[in-house]
Amino acid sequence: MRNSEVFRTIKSLLGGLAAFALSMRFNLPLPMIIILPIAVYAGVYMLAKPVIKIGSLKLSDVKGEELKSLMKDAYEDLEVLEQAGKKVQDPIVRKLAIELYKSGISIFEHLQKNPEKIGLARRFINYYLDTAAGLLEKYQKLVSSRVRGASVEKAKLDIASGLNVLTRAFDQQYERLMQGEIMDITTDVKVLEQTLRSEE
């Protein structure tokens, strides 16, 4: 059970217990003593549901089932990148985690505006993003294990190297998605230059 789910359950239980205590204190009828805490538990549980959000993009605002499905898959991976960017002590690995997180957010915001490009991003989400999260999780396990030795240090260096490769992969993915816009800009500039030449 993830931390957010544990906190959600605890909040709901506390709400239900408070409702039970209040209904006992005010000597409510037995059916109310049973129903009120259950209703409060269910209400708090529903209200405490976490909002799945990538950058400024909420899952509830996303249009299209395919993008919603991809976003759900990517949400936990991006969360790992974000947390690593806050917690990792090594400045190089932390910087790489932050870069990967920001690139991932940019890609998703672009997909929200251009849902027809989802097919181009499938490999990014299913492989590159998942690999980045996996490497950072392994790195954090190595650090928290406090085991020292040449093989552990080499594994940390290998992870940093892999993250560096992934930053390039993320940038290439974003560039692929932006290809149409880049071509439009180039065309606009050429047309502008031709128009100015024709007026000379």
Side-chain angles (χ1 to χ4, degrees):
M1 194 182 281
R2 289 176 53 211
N3 284 345
S4 58
E5 189 62 29
V6 171
F7 290 134
R8 183 181 179 197
T9 303
I10 290 170
K11 282 181 198 172
S12 304
L13 281 171
L14 290 174
L17 287 172
F20 178 74
L22 286 171
S23 60
M24 291 295 286
R25 170 110 168 92
F26 291 110
N27 293 325
L28 295 177
L30 183 61
M32 288 298 289
I33 291 173
I34 295 168
I35 293 170
L36 188 62
I38 293 170
V40 169
Y41 174 87
V44 172
Y45 191 79
M46 292 306 293
L47 290 173
K49 184 178 182 182
V51 176
I52 295 180
K53 195 174 170 187
I54 295 178
S56 61
L57 187 62
K58 289 182 189 171
L59 181 62
S60 57
D61 296 339
V62 171
K63 292 171 179 63
E65 288 308 309
E66 191 174 12
L67 184 56
K68 272 188 184 178
S69 173
L70 288 174
M71 190 169 165
K72 279 182 185 174
D73 292 343
Y75 174 73
E76 286 185 13
D77 292 333
L78 283 168
E79 204 172 58
V80 169
L81 300 182
E82 183 182 28
Q83 291 307 311
K86 293 175 182 174
K87 293 178 182 175
V88 170
Q89 296 297 312
D90 183 290
I92 293 168
V93 175
R94 186 173 61 244
K95 181 177 178 278
L96 289 167
I98 291 167
E99 282 179 30
L100 290 166
Y101 175 72
K102 287 180 178 177
S103 294
I105 297 298
S106 296
I107 288 168
F108 268 95
E109 287 176 344
H110 185 75
L111 288 174
Q112 171 65 3
K113 292 173 189 162
N114 303 277
E116 72 282 358
K117 296 182 179 181
I118 292 169
L120 293 172
R122 192 173 297 285
R123 184 166 175 78
F124 161 75
I125 295 163
N126 293 336
Y127 180 69
Y128 292 118
L129 188 57
D130 192 49
T131 301
L135 284 174
L136 282 163
E137 285 175 333
K138 287 173 185 170
Y139 181 86
Q140 288 174 309
K141 282 179 187 171
L142 285 172
V143 170
S144 64
S145 72
R146 294 191 171 92
V147 175
R148 301 286 175 256
S151 61
V152 172
E153 292 308 311
K154 183 180 181 326
K156 287 181 189 176
L157 289 172
D158 287 345
I159 288 171
S161 175
L163 292 172
N164 199 29
V165 169
L166 282 165
T167 57
R168 290 195 302 274
F170 276 42
D171 289 344
Q172 287 170 354
Q173 176 65 56
Y174 189 64
E175 194 174 319
R176 272 182 63 207
L177 292 172
M178 291 291 291
Q179 204 59 48
E181 286 83 343
I182 291 167
M183 287 173 67
D184 287 347
I185 291 166
T186 304
T187 303
D188 288 347
V189 170
K190 281 182 181 173
V191 169
L192 178 63
E193 287 171 349
Q194 287 171 352
T195 304
L196 284 172
R197 271 193 231 108
S198 68
E199 290 179 357
E200 288 175 355

